[in-house]
Amino acid sequence: MECDYSYGGPIGVFDSGYGGLTILERLRRQMPEYDFIYLGDNARAPYGTRSFQVVYEFTRQAVRRLFRMGCPLVILACNTASAKALRTIQQIDLPDLDPSRRVLGVIRPTAECVGTITRSGHVGIVATPGTIRSNTYALEIAKLHPRLTVTGQACPLWAALVENGETDSPGTDYFVGRDLRNLLNSDPLIDTIILGCTHYPLLLPLIRRHVPKHITLIPQGDYVANSLKDYLQRHPEMETRLSKGGRVDYFTTEDSQGFSASAALFLSEKVEAGHIALE
Ligand code: DGL
Protein backbone atom coordinates (compact mmCIF):
# COMPACT_ATOMS: atom_id res chain seq x y z
CA MET A 1 0.00 0.00 0.00
CA GLU A 2 1.55 3.32 -1.06
CA CYS A 3 0.49 6.74 0.23
CA ASP A 4 0.14 9.93 -1.77
CA TYR A 5 1.89 12.84 -0.07
CA SER A 6 1.58 15.82 -2.35
CA TYR A 7 4.58 17.63 -0.93
CA GLY A 8 7.59 16.03 0.75
CA GLY A 9 7.33 12.85 2.73
CA PRO A 10 6.31 11.70 6.21
CA ILE A 11 8.58 10.63 9.05
CA GLY A 12 8.59 6.82 9.28
CA VAL A 13 8.34 5.35 12.78
CA PHE A 14 9.15 1.67 13.03
CA ASP A 15 8.82 -0.83 15.88
CA SER A 16 8.50 -4.59 16.19
CA GLY A 17 4.92 -4.04 17.39
CA TYR A 18 2.96 -1.64 19.57
CA GLY A 19 5.85 -0.22 21.60
CA GLY A 20 6.82 2.46 19.09
CA LEU A 21 3.38 4.01 19.59
CA THR A 22 4.74 5.39 22.88
CA ILE A 23 7.41 7.23 20.86
CA LEU A 24 4.99 8.29 18.11
CA GLU A 25 2.64 9.76 20.71
CA ARG A 26 5.42 12.02 22.04
CA LEU A 27 6.64 12.94 18.55
CA ARG A 28 3.13 14.01 17.58
CA ARG A 29 2.68 15.95 20.79
CA GLN A 30 5.91 17.89 20.29
CA MET A 31 5.84 18.06 16.47
CA PRO A 32 2.15 18.10 15.52
CA GLU A 33 2.71 19.75 12.15
CA TYR A 34 4.60 16.81 10.63
CA ASP A 35 3.15 13.76 8.83
CA PHE A 36 4.04 10.30 10.15
CA ILE A 37 3.75 6.70 8.99
CA TYR A 38 3.80 4.13 11.79
CA LEU A 39 4.81 0.58 10.92
CA GLY A 40 4.58 -2.25 13.46
CA ASP A 41 5.93 -5.66 12.55
CA ASN A 42 3.43 -7.26 14.95
CA ALA A 43 3.37 -10.52 12.98
CA ARG A 44 7.02 -11.14 13.92
CA ALA A 45 7.15 -9.45 17.36
CA PRO A 46 8.75 -9.68 19.81
CA TYR A 47 12.24 -9.05 18.44
CA GLY A 48 13.93 -9.02 21.85
CA THR A 49 14.92 -12.68 21.94
CA ARG A 50 15.85 -12.93 18.23
CA SER A 51 19.40 -13.14 16.88
CA PHE A 52 21.38 -10.18 15.57
CA GLN A 53 21.05 -11.41 11.98
CA VAL A 54 17.26 -11.81 12.15
CA VAL A 55 16.65 -8.42 13.81
CA TYR A 56 18.92 -6.76 11.26
CA GLU A 57 17.18 -8.43 8.31
CA PHE A 58 13.64 -7.61 9.57
CA THR A 59 14.62 -4.01 10.32
CA ARG A 60 16.25 -3.58 6.90
CA GLN A 61 13.06 -4.80 5.24
CA ALA A 62 11.00 -2.28 7.24
CA VAL A 63 13.33 0.63 6.41
CA ARG A 64 13.28 -0.26 2.70
CA ARG A 65 9.49 -0.37 2.80
CA LEU A 66 9.15 2.98 4.58
CA PHE A 67 11.52 4.55 2.04
CA ARG A 68 9.32 3.17 -0.76
CA MET A 69 6.30 4.69 0.97
CA GLY A 70 8.00 8.07 0.66
CA CYS A 71 9.67 8.63 4.05
CA PRO A 72 12.89 10.68 3.76
CA LEU A 73 13.61 9.94 7.44
CA VAL A 74 12.94 6.81 9.51
CA ILE A 75 13.09 6.55 13.31
CA LEU A 76 13.75 3.06 14.66
CA ALA A 77 11.38 3.44 17.64
CA CYS A 78 12.65 0.12 18.95
CA ASN A 79 15.68 -0.28 21.18
CA THR A 80 16.32 -3.83 20.01
CA ALA A 81 16.45 -2.70 16.36
CA SER A 82 18.46 0.40 17.31
CA ALA A 83 20.96 -1.79 19.22
CA LYS A 84 21.30 -4.54 16.65
CA ALA A 85 20.59 -3.03 13.24
CA LEU A 86 20.98 0.77 13.23
CA ARG A 87 24.71 1.01 12.74
CA THR A 88 24.86 -1.59 9.96
CA ILE A 89 21.92 0.02 8.16
CA GLN A 90 23.50 3.48 8.43
CA GLN A 91 26.95 2.37 7.34
CA ILE A 92 26.35 -0.51 4.92
CA ASP A 93 22.80 -0.26 3.56
CA LEU A 94 22.05 3.45 3.35
CA PRO A 95 24.70 4.24 0.72
CA ASP A 96 23.04 1.65 -1.56
CA LEU A 97 19.41 2.25 -0.64
CA ASP A 98 19.47 6.06 -0.81
CA PRO A 99 22.32 8.12 0.68
CA SER A 100 20.10 11.21 0.91
CA ARG A 101 17.71 9.58 3.41
CA ARG A 102 18.35 9.07 7.11
CA VAL A 103 17.68 6.40 9.73
CA LEU A 104 17.93 7.36 13.43
CA GLY A 105 17.53 5.33 16.63
CA VAL A 106 16.33 5.83 20.20
CA ILE A 107 19.32 4.79 22.31
CA ARG A 108 21.60 7.79 21.87
CA PRO A 109 18.98 10.42 22.87
CA THR A 110 18.17 8.40 25.99
CA ALA A 111 21.82 7.86 26.92
CA GLU A 112 22.43 11.61 26.57
CA CYS A 113 19.78 12.64 29.09
CA VAL A 114 20.70 10.33 31.96
CA GLY A 115 23.79 12.25 33.14
CA THR A 116 21.70 15.21 34.29
CA ILE A 117 19.08 13.09 36.05
CA THR A 118 20.94 10.68 38.36
CA ARG A 119 22.25 11.99 41.67
CA SER A 120 23.82 8.77 42.97
CA GLY A 121 25.60 8.14 39.65
CA HIS A 122 24.11 4.63 39.56
CA VAL A 123 21.78 3.93 36.65
CA GLY A 124 19.74 0.85 35.84
CA ILE A 125 18.52 -0.21 32.39
CA VAL A 126 15.56 -2.53 31.87
CA ALA A 127 15.34 -3.80 28.30
CA THR A 128 14.93 -6.87 26.11
CA PRO A 129 17.61 -9.60 26.30
CA GLY A 130 18.81 -8.50 22.84
CA THR A 131 19.34 -4.88 23.89
CA ILE A 132 21.05 -5.87 27.15
CA ARG A 133 23.31 -8.46 25.47
CA SER A 134 24.37 -5.91 22.83
CA ASN A 135 25.72 -3.72 25.66
CA THR A 136 24.83 -0.67 23.55
CA TYR A 137 23.43 1.39 26.46
CA ALA A 138 26.46 0.80 28.65
CA LEU A 139 28.80 1.73 25.78
CA GLU A 140 26.87 4.86 24.78
CA ILE A 141 26.58 6.05 28.40
CA ALA A 142 30.28 5.35 29.02
CA LYS A 143 31.18 7.59 26.06
CA LEU A 144 28.97 10.45 27.24
CA HIS A 145 29.09 10.10 31.04
CA PRO A 146 32.15 8.00 31.95
CA ARG A 147 31.63 8.31 35.72
CA LEU A 148 28.26 6.59 35.82
CA THR A 149 27.81 3.00 36.96
CA VAL A 150 25.38 1.22 34.64
CA THR A 151 23.61 -2.05 35.43
CA GLY A 152 21.43 -3.80 32.86
CA GLN A 153 18.54 -6.16 33.53
CA ALA A 154 17.10 -8.29 30.73
CA CYS A 155 13.31 -8.61 30.96
CA PRO A 156 12.55 -11.41 28.50
CA LEU A 157 8.76 -11.43 28.85
CA TRP A 158 7.67 -7.83 29.27
CA ALA A 159 7.36 -6.89 25.57
CA ALA A 160 5.51 -10.12 24.77
CA LEU A 161 3.07 -9.44 27.62
CA VAL A 162 2.42 -5.93 26.28
CA GLU A 163 1.95 -7.28 22.73
CA ASN A 164 -0.73 -9.56 24.17
CA GLY A 165 -2.51 -6.70 25.93
CA GLU A 166 -1.49 -7.94 29.42
CA THR A 167 -0.43 -4.58 30.80
CA ASP A 168 -1.93 -5.09 34.27
CA SER A 169 -2.48 -8.82 34.83
CA PRO A 170 -1.25 -10.83 37.86
CA GLY A 171 1.22 -12.66 35.59
CA THR A 172 2.73 -9.39 34.36
CA ASP A 173 2.87 -8.10 37.93
CA TYR A 174 4.90 -11.18 38.91
CA PHE A 175 7.47 -10.87 36.10
CA VAL A 176 7.83 -7.09 36.42
CA GLY A 177 8.34 -7.44 40.19
CA ARG A 178 10.85 -10.26 39.80
CA ASP A 179 13.01 -8.50 37.20
CA LEU A 180 13.03 -5.17 39.06
CA ARG A 181 14.02 -6.92 42.31
CA ASN A 182 16.93 -8.56 40.49
CA LEU A 183 18.04 -5.19 39.12
CA LEU A 184 17.90 -3.43 42.48
CA ASN A 185 19.63 -6.34 44.23
CA SER A 186 22.47 -6.11 41.70
CA ASP A 187 23.03 -2.43 42.56
CA PRO A 188 21.09 -0.99 45.54
CA LEU A 189 22.49 2.49 44.81
CA ILE A 190 20.49 2.84 41.59
CA ASP A 191 18.35 6.00 41.68
CA THR A 192 17.43 6.19 37.99
CA ILE A 193 16.02 3.48 35.73
CA ILE A 194 15.87 3.85 31.95
CA LEU A 195 12.93 2.06 30.35
CA GLY A 196 15.10 0.83 27.49
CA CYS A 197 12.29 -0.72 25.47
CA THR A 198 9.54 1.28 23.84
CA HIS A 199 6.90 -1.19 25.04
CA TYR A 200 7.65 -0.48 28.70
CA PRO A 201 5.90 2.90 29.15
CA LEU A 202 2.71 0.88 28.75
CA LEU A 203 3.72 -0.90 31.99
CA LEU A 204 4.60 2.31 33.83
CA PRO A 205 1.94 2.14 36.60
CA LEU A 206 2.98 -1.44 37.35
CA ILE A 207 6.70 -0.65 37.30
CA ARG A 208 6.10 2.31 39.65
CA ARG A 209 4.47 -0.03 42.18
CA HIS A 210 7.62 -2.19 42.33
CA VAL A 211 10.31 0.45 42.87
CA PRO A 212 10.99 2.74 45.85
CA LYS A 213 9.61 6.29 45.50
CA HIS A 214 13.01 8.00 45.26
CA ILE A 215 13.83 6.19 42.00
CA THR A 216 13.31 8.20 38.80
CA LEU A 217 11.90 6.24 35.88
CA ILE A 218 12.84 7.42 32.39
CA PRO A 219 10.50 6.66 29.52
CA GLN A 220 12.20 7.65 26.27
CA GLY A 221 9.53 9.43 24.21
CA ASP A 222 10.20 13.05 25.16
CA TYR A 223 13.97 12.67 24.87
CA VAL A 224 13.64 11.14 21.40
CA ALA A 225 11.27 13.95 20.36
CA ASN A 226 13.62 16.67 21.72
CA SER A 227 16.54 15.08 19.96
CA LEU A 228 14.66 14.84 16.64
CA LYS A 229 13.62 18.49 16.82
CA ASP A 230 17.22 19.42 17.47
CA TYR A 231 18.38 17.22 14.57
CA LEU A 232 15.93 18.88 12.18
CA GLN A 233 17.09 22.33 13.26
CA ARG A 234 20.65 21.35 12.48
CA HIS A 235 19.67 19.69 9.18
CA PRO A 236 17.41 22.07 7.24
CA GLU A 237 18.07 20.05 4.05
CA MET A 238 16.15 17.18 5.70
CA GLU A 239 13.57 19.36 7.44
CA THR A 240 12.42 20.88 4.15
CA ARG A 241 11.86 17.40 2.68
CA LEU A 242 9.31 16.48 5.38
CA SER A 243 5.63 16.96 4.63
CA LYS A 244 3.54 18.91 7.10
CA GLY A 245 -0.15 18.20 7.30
CA GLY A 246 -0.48 16.61 10.74
CA ARG A 247 -1.47 13.29 9.14
CA VAL A 248 -0.68 9.84 10.58
CA ASP A 249 -1.03 6.53 8.72
CA TYR A 250 -0.71 3.22 10.56
CA PHE A 251 0.43 -0.08 9.10
CA THR A 252 0.96 -3.49 10.60
CA THR A 253 2.22 -6.82 9.29
CA GLU A 254 -0.49 -8.54 11.39
CA ASP A 255 -4.26 -8.42 11.18
CA SER A 256 -5.14 -4.73 10.74
CA GLN A 257 -8.40 -4.85 12.70
CA GLY A 258 -6.68 -6.33 15.75
CA PHE A 259 -3.95 -3.70 15.48
CA SER A 260 -6.49 -0.87 15.18
CA ALA A 261 -8.36 -2.04 18.28
CA SER A 262 -5.21 -2.40 20.43
CA ALA A 263 -3.54 0.77 19.14
CA ALA A 264 -6.68 2.74 19.97
CA LEU A 265 -6.31 1.60 23.60
CA PHE A 266 -2.66 2.65 23.75
CA LEU A 267 -3.26 6.00 22.03
CA SER A 268 -6.75 6.78 23.39
CA GLU A 269 -7.99 7.61 19.88
CA LYS A 270 -9.49 5.83 16.91
CA VAL A 271 -6.93 4.25 14.60
CA GLU A 272 -7.52 2.66 11.20
CA ALA A 273 -4.51 0.62 10.25
CA GLY A 274 -3.65 -0.95 6.92
CA HIS A 275 -1.96 -4.29 6.42
CA ILE A 276 1.36 -4.75 4.63
CA ALA A 277 3.72 -7.68 4.24
CA LEU A 278 7.46 -7.22 4.69
CA GLU A 279 9.96 -9.18 2.65
N1 DGL B 1 9.85 -2.24 21.63
C1 DGL B 1 11.06 -2.84 21.25
C2 DGL B 1 12.26 -2.28 22.00
O1 DGL B 1 12.24 -1.12 22.27
C3 DGL B 1 11.14 -4.30 21.04
C4 DGL B 1 10.46 -5.23 21.95
C5 DGL B 1 10.50 -6.60 21.32
O2 DGL B 1 10.04 -6.70 20.18
O3 DGL B 1 11.00 -7.52 21.96
O4 DGL B 1 13.20 -2.96 22.29
Side-chain angles (χ1 to χ4, degrees):
M1 189 176 304
E2 313 299 321
C3 303
D4 174 29
Y5 289 88
S6 44
Y7 172 69
I11 299 171
V13 178
F14 169 67
D15 181 46
S16 60
Y18 294 113
L21 293 173
T22 64
I23 302 289
L24 177 71
E25 196 258 322
R26 292 293 145 162
L27 293 175
R28 286 177 65 199
R29 190 176 292 207
Q30 292 204 35
M31 309 165 67
E33 67 276 29
Y34 292 91
D35 294 325
F36 295 94
I37 292 183
Y38 185 84
L39 171 56
D41 190 8
N42 300 75
R44 303 187 292 194
Y47 280 11
T49 45
R50 292 186 184 273
S51 68
F52 175 93
Q53 192 54 37
V54 169
V55 173
Y56 163 59
E57 186 49 37
F58 287 178
T59 307
R60 194 164 63 104
Q61 291 170 2
V63 167
R64 258 201 336 240
R65 188 58 192 247
L66 286 164
F67 282 178
R68 267 177 33 215
M69 293 165 107
C71 301
L73 171 68
V74 171
I75 309 294
L76 301 184
C78 173
N79 291 267
T80 311
S82 299
K84 292 187 164 192
L86 178 63
R87 187 170 296 239
T88 315
I89 287 176
Q90 284 174 333
Q91 292 176 355
I92 310 289
D93 295 298
L94 215 46
D96 274 349
L97 287 173
D98 184 342
S100 77
R101 304 196 196 212
R102 286 291 170 268
V103 182
L104 304 174
V106 289
I107 292 182
R108 177 86 187 194
T110 316
E112 275 169 4
C113 77
V114 76
T116 55
I117 296 173
T118 175
R119 286 173 310 278
S120 69
H122 291 250
V123 174
I125 318 282
V126 283
T128 66
T131 300
I132 296 296
R133 262 201 309 272
S134 75
N135 215 25
T136 311
Y137 266 105
L139 294 171
E140 284 293 334
I141 293 174
K143 271 190 248 161
L144 298 161
H145 314 291
R147 282 161 195 244
L148 298 188
T149 303
V150 179
T151 305
Q153 174 67 45
C155 307
L157 293 173
W158 294 15
L161 289 162
V162 171
E163 280 296 302
N164 286 291
E166 303 253 344
T167 49
D168 199 15
S169 69
T172 308
D173 188 61
Y174 169 80
F175 287 112
V176 167
R178 182 196 66 179
D179 295 337
L180 286 169
R181 259 193 316 280
N182 284 343
L183 174 67
L184 296 175
N185 285 340
S186 304
D187 181 357
L189 295 179
I190 286 172
D191 71 352
T192 305
I193 299 178
I194 292 177
L195 307 187
C197 170
T198 54
H199 282 66
Y200 296 175
L202 298 161
L203 298 172
L204 205 50
L206 201 56
I207 296 171
R208 188 75 266 172
R209 290 212 289 271
H210 284 283
V211 295
K213 284 211 169 45
H214 73 277
I215 291 187
T216 306
L217 299 173
I218 308 188
Q220 305 171 282
D222 282 329
Y223 298 102
V224 173
N226 287 339
S227 164
L228 181 57
K229 283 194 304 192
D230 179 59
Y231 175 87
L232 293 177
Q233 254 169 23
R234 287 182 289 109
H235 294 275
E237 77 291 354
M238 173 56 73
E239 205 283 331
T240 50
R241 290 174 66 191
L242 298 174
S243 56
K244 294 164 194 86
R247 165 176 170 174
V248 189
D249 291 294
Y250 297 88
F251 295 93
T252 176
T253 55
E254 246 300 342
D255 163 56
S256 57
Q257 282 183 356
F259 180 92
S260 302
S262 298
L265 294 178
F266 295 142
L267 294 171
S268 321
E269 69 176 22
K270 199 165 167 342
V271 165
E272 265 184 50
H275 174 267
I276 55 171
L278 288 177
E279 54 194 61

